[in-house]
Amino acid sequence: MHLNSFSVSGFRSLTEVADIPVRKPTILAGHNDGGKSALLDALAFLLGKHPLAEDDRTYLTIDGDEDSAPVRCEESSVEGAFTLDAWEQEQFDLPAQVRLRRCSGEDLASRLEVWERIPADERLLDLSQCLAPALKDLVKEFGLSPSSMRKPDLERALRQYGRDHSDSDGWVGAPAGLDKRMPRYLPFDSKKPDDAVKTVLVGRFQNYMADPELKGRLAAIEGEVQDRLRIDAKSLCEHIEMRCPDLQKVSVEPDVSFQQGFRAAPLRVARRAGEAVGLDRTGLGSNRRISLAIWEWTSELLAEEQGTTPTASTGDKAPEPPPVQTIVVYDEPDTHLDYTHQRKIMQLIRTQSDIPNVSVLVATHSMNLIDGVDISDVVHLKLEKHRTVVERLGTGLLGDAIDEHLGKIAAAVGLRNSVLLHERCFLAVEGETEQRAFPLLFRLCEGLSLQAAGIALWACFNNEGALHLARYLAKQGRTIMLVVDADSRNVRKGIFKTPKLTEFFGAYASRYVKFLGEPEDDDPQQERYNELEELFLDDVWARVGNKIWAKTDGIWQPDDFAALRGEGKFSESVQEMLQAHSETGPGGKPEMMYELAMALDDKNDVPDQLRGVFEQLRQLAA
């Protein structure tokens, strides 16, 4: 059984959290108390490893009623989207893709349910709770012919009858035995290496206990021990009946299982011979490094387990079921580790993720871990009104083609996932020219860097790429400004025309998109320009030109630059002129604007419109 994603309802701060992916790996990021640990515990509850407690049930909030005492939700549930292997499909008579949920009500009793056809007869809703005699009675009543009188075959026949006599879908009790095919849950806590040792060795212990050769011998021993205990129990019951004559019947049925026989494996370390101490007496750094070594060893064991194949059926012997999925869970594994060991953690997680049938979930604050995976594998958790909400980027909101395009842009410019998740404001620009000049011009005008102001600058190689980025982040609720040249209005497809921008950003598109050279109030009396370079005054160009691009036959005059306006593209004409008449002329337009920005030392030389854009950005980021 393979868990693809899960959703949580009514579990601590997770009132309604949907579609958390289980990948190779999934990174859970967010602030402290944002719900990361709650999400991991909810997953453990789904997989049968966390018994629901009263404090796990979410408090309900009643709008407009501040005085009444809060009440717990009626039901807590975690639902998973699972893929069943061929053996499980055959064994439990279920399709390949199923929805399973584990839920508990006020009684805190756990129930595993599957979404399928609801039988009209309520007695067929949860057959796993029925004993074989009751199942036989139902089979006889409905006139069914199961393949045998074994409980699994009786249940299979009744389930099929229930599906055939149903008129709706809903939650029905899961088949008996399906719970045992749930993915294996391996949680590792870097603060408790002893628990990590126990976790991995318990997993191995269970594998050994399931070995067919050992299973038969152990079953025989369990049976013998159980028979002896029955004799002791009978003597005990007779003694109780003698001492308590008012009791009609006293019985005890011993239940023996060696499966739960592994209790602990405390780890002790010694730096010198004869000086062994428990891990609770060593430093935090040592604990983390020992945990890392344990996790590395675990990777080898997981790879070894996946290398084994189930035994095929021979004669009357049934085939062994294939291995279930293993979900490895880390809760802040890099805490108190230096940078080198943090990199080792990321490599370890990649190694484990490459193992077949192994998925990894990591709750972390580490920028290294967040930046080490695809953005679509990052689940960002945050609190809104004391309840956890989920934020995911790169998940197809704008279509796979655009998401792929954005992913390539992010990789090309080195934009990190942590920036996408945590920066307060994004500035999207067309390309390298703005990318190189804007940081210098912003610092000159505002007195601090873009980064210090909480602004992430993203150059998108062209105006269309910048538009897609802005549209994407706006839909994600991020604070974004797109700054492009005014001549972008004329690009193909009309994507920068007002109707298209309104379609992308709504009625307030002007808040998101700024056209350099186009008057914001659309005053026909104001002069219009086509691009960034045209905004700088002719005397500024001449002054900077004489400072860094000395003219070979005299000095630059403002008129030299004024003569280039209105004929072709101003930036190209200026670049060609500087290259033709200066031995130190710029190598290209990005270099030209970078050198211009470097040479300025008075913010009044920066065009008014650009200064206004920087001021708005500062306000947005604040």
Side-chain angles (χ1 to χ4, degrees):
M1 188 185 297
H2 187 97
L3 176 62
N4 303 307
S5 64
F6 66 100
S7 303
V8 187
S9 175
F11 191 95
R12 300 184 198 166
S13 65
L14 311 174
T15 306
E16 289 292 340
V17 170
D19 297 326
I20 303 300
V22 179
R23 299 205 177 150
K24 292 174 159 289
T26 296
I27 300 295
L28 305 177
H31 299 296
N32 291 327
D33 297 324
K36 298 188 297 297
S37 296
L39 197 63
L40 296 180
D41 286 343
L43 173 61
F45 173 63
L46 170 63
L47 302 181
K49 301 301 181 183
H50 176 87
L52 193 78
E54 180 68 16
D55 285 343
D56 289 328
R57 299 171 58 215
T58 300
Y59 278 114
L60 297 178
T61 57
I62 303 175
D63 293 337
D65 190 352
E66 302 263 342
D67 299 327
S68 61
V71 295
R72 302 276 187 182
C73 62
E74 292 184 1
E75 183 178 75
S76 299
S77 68
V78 184
E79 177 186 334
F82 290 86
T83 299
L84 304 189
D85 58 45
W87 184 90
E88 291 161 344
Q89 295 172 50
E90 171 67 23
Q91 185 76 9
F92 302 110
D93 193 23
L94 290 171
Q97 305 297 325
V98 297
R99 291 167 56 190
L100 296 173
R101 76 167 184 177
R102 193 179 299 277
C103 55
S104 289
E106 296 179 0
D107 59 359
L108 302 181
S110 169
R111 305 183 304 279
L112 183 64
E113 299 175 331
V114 58
W115 181 270
E116 62 173 357
R117 304 294 292 174
I118 299 180
D121 193 315
E122 293 184 356
R123 293 175 297 173
L124 305 180
L125 286 176
D126 195 357
L127 295 170
S128 64
Q129 301 301 314
C130 297
L131 300 176
L135 296 177
K136 291 178 181 178
D137 290 342
L138 289 172
V139 164
K140 182 178 180 180
E141 178 182 340
F142 296 132
L144 305 181
S145 300
S147 58
S148 77
M149 288 293 114
R150 296 187 311 114
K151 184 177 179 181
D153 293 326
L154 294 170
E155 187 176 326
R156 182 191 296 263
L158 289 167
R159 282 186 174 278
Q160 187 57 53
Y161 177 84
R163 294 189 191 107
D164 294 339
H165 295 77
S166 168
D167 55 7
S168 63
D169 294 337
W171 293 108
V172 178
L178 187 61
D179 202 357
K180 296 180 180 179
R181 294 293 297 171
M182 279 288 190
R184 183 169 51 159
Y185 183 79
L186 288 184
F188 291 103
D189 187 342
S190 63
K191 298 181 285 293
K192 299 178 180 179
D194 274 344
D195 289 349
V197 173
K198 182 180 178 182
T199 294
V200 64
L201 291 182
V202 163
R204 295 293 281 179
F205 172 77
Q206 292 171 344
N207 283 345
Y208 292 142
M209 297 297 289
D211 185 287
E213 183 178 342
L214 291 176
K215 188 185 294 185
R217 289 152 52 192
L218 289 171
I221 297 174
E222 281 182 358
E224 183 178 344
V225 172
Q226 194 157 292
D227 289 341
R228 293 184 181 184
L229 286 174
R230 283 197 183 102
I231 296 173
D232 295 335
K234 183 180 179 182
S235 174
L236 171 64
C237 293
E238 291 172 349
H239 182 78
I240 294 174
E241 290 174 349
M242 182 180 67
R243 293 296 187 188
C244 306
D246 57 312
L247 299 179
Q248 291 285 334
K249 179 71 174 176
V250 178
S251 63
V252 175
E253 186 63 31
D255 185 9
V256 177
S257 173
F258 293 164
Q259 292 284 346
Q260 308 301 323
F262 190 97
R263 295 188 177 276
L267 184 66
R268 296 176 65 81
V269 297
R271 301 188 188 280
R272 295 175 58 185
E275 297 183 1
V277 296
L279 288 183
D280 58 339
R281 299 297 187 266
T282 61
L284 290 175
S286 295
N287 272 251
R288 266 69 177 184
R289 290 194 299 275
I290 293 170
S291 295
L292 179 57
I294 295 168
W295 301 339
E296 289 172 340
W297 182 65
T298 304
S299 298
E300 298 176 7
L301 295 184
L302 290 173
E304 178 185 323
E305 290 175 7
Q306 298 304 322
T308 61
T309 56
T311 305
S313 59
T314 56
D316 296 333
K317 186 178 179 181
E320 290 293 321
V324 298
Q325 175 192 19
T326 296
I327 301 177
V328 182
V329 172
Y330 294 108
D331 195 352
E332 299 187 18
D334 58 325
T335 306
H336 296 288
L337 287 179
D338 56 42
Y339 183 76
T340 300
H341 284 89
Q342 289 181 27
R343 295 293 295 270
K344 288 183 178 180
I345 287 283
M346 192 66 241
Q347 183 55 50
L348 170 65
I349 290 170
R350 290 195 187 98
T351 300
Q352 291 180 341
S353 297
D354 288 338
I355 301 172
N357 291 334
V358 173
S359 299
V360 182
L361 266 71
V362 185
T364 184
H365 295 111
S366 168
M367 299 305 178
N368 291 326
L369 298 184
I370 293 171
D371 293 335
V373 300
D374 188 270
I375 186 63
S376 62
D377 294 329
V378 178
V379 176
H380 188 230
L381 305 176
K382 59 183 180 180
L383 286 179
E384 289 186 0
K385 297 180 179 180
H386 308 291
R387 295 295 180 265
T388 299
V389 296
V390 171
E391 180 181 47
R392 287 183 63 201
L393 300 179
T395 54
L397 288 180
L398 300 180
D400 294 337
I402 293 178
D403 284 338
E404 182 179 359
H405 174 67
L406 288 174
K408 290 179 179 177
I409 291 174
V413 302
L415 190 68
R416 303 186 306 276
N417 297 340
S418 52
V419 172
L420 272 174
L421 291 172
H422 299 300
E423 286 293 6
R424 297 192 295 271
C425 180
F426 294 86
L427 171 59
V429 296
E430 294 185 44
E432 186 183 356
T433 298
E434 294 81 4
Q435 185 184 33
R436 298 184 68 181
F438 272 28
L440 296 170
L441 297 174
F442 183 90
R443 180 187 287 274
L444 177 62
C445 295
E446 297 296 323
L448 76 168
S449 67
L450 284 167
Q451 184 178 8
I455 300 168
L457 175 65
W458 195 343
C460 303
F461 305 122
N462 55 53
N463 47 23
E464 185 174 352
L467 176 64
H468 287 320
L469 168 67
R471 178 190 175 197
Y472 184 87
L473 292 177
K475 279 186 174 291
Q476 297 287 338
R478 312 304 266 189
T479 302
I480 177 75
M481 181 183 289
L482 166 61
V483 178
V484 294
D485 290 337
D487 59 8
S488 297
R489 293 280 196 185
N490 305 319
V491 300
R492 61 186 177 86
K493 305 178 187 175
I495 57 175
F496 283 96
K497 299 293 186 183
T498 299
K500 203 68 175 178
L501 294 177
T502 302
E503 177 187 332
F504 289 167
F505 300 106
Y508 301 101
S510 60
R511 294 181 180 176
Y512 293 101
V513 187
K514 304 295 181 184
F515 292 94
L516 294 180
E518 186 177 277
E520 289 195 20
D521 56 6
D522 206 24
D523 184 355
Q525 302 299 320
Q526 289 189 26
E527 194 166 2
R528 293 172 177 269
Y529 302 100
N530 289 315
E531 55 182 342
L532 167 67
E533 292 78 4
E534 282 189 89
L535 292 176
F536 290 86
L537 298 177
D538 296 328
D539 68 319
V540 173
W541 276 108
R543 191 169 359 109
V544 172
N546 289 320
K547 184 176 181 180
I548 59 177
W549 302 306
K551 195 175 182 182
T552 55
D553 54 352
I555 61 173
W556 296 110
Q557 299 293 339
D559 290 344
D560 295 328
F561 297 89
L564 303 179
R565 297 182 184 272
E567 296 183 6
K569 200 169 179 65
F570 179 74
S571 59
E572 293 178 358
S573 300
V574 171
Q575 177 188 334
E576 291 173 0
M577 182 177 71
L578 293 174
Q579 289 172 337
H581 299 283
S582 174
E583 294 181 356
T584 57
K589 189 172 76 164
E591 183 179 334
M592 178 177 73
M593 286 306 299
Y594 171 75
E595 292 179 341
L596 174 74
M598 282 286 290
L600 298 180
D601 52 17
D602 186 346
K603 68 178 183 180
N604 293 316
D605 289 335
V606 180
D608 291 343
Q609 187 179 21
L610 201 54
R611 293 208 307 271
V613 165
F614 293 155
E615 184 178 346
Q616 290 180 49
L617 279 169
R618 185 79 181 276
Q619 293 172 353
L620 287 174

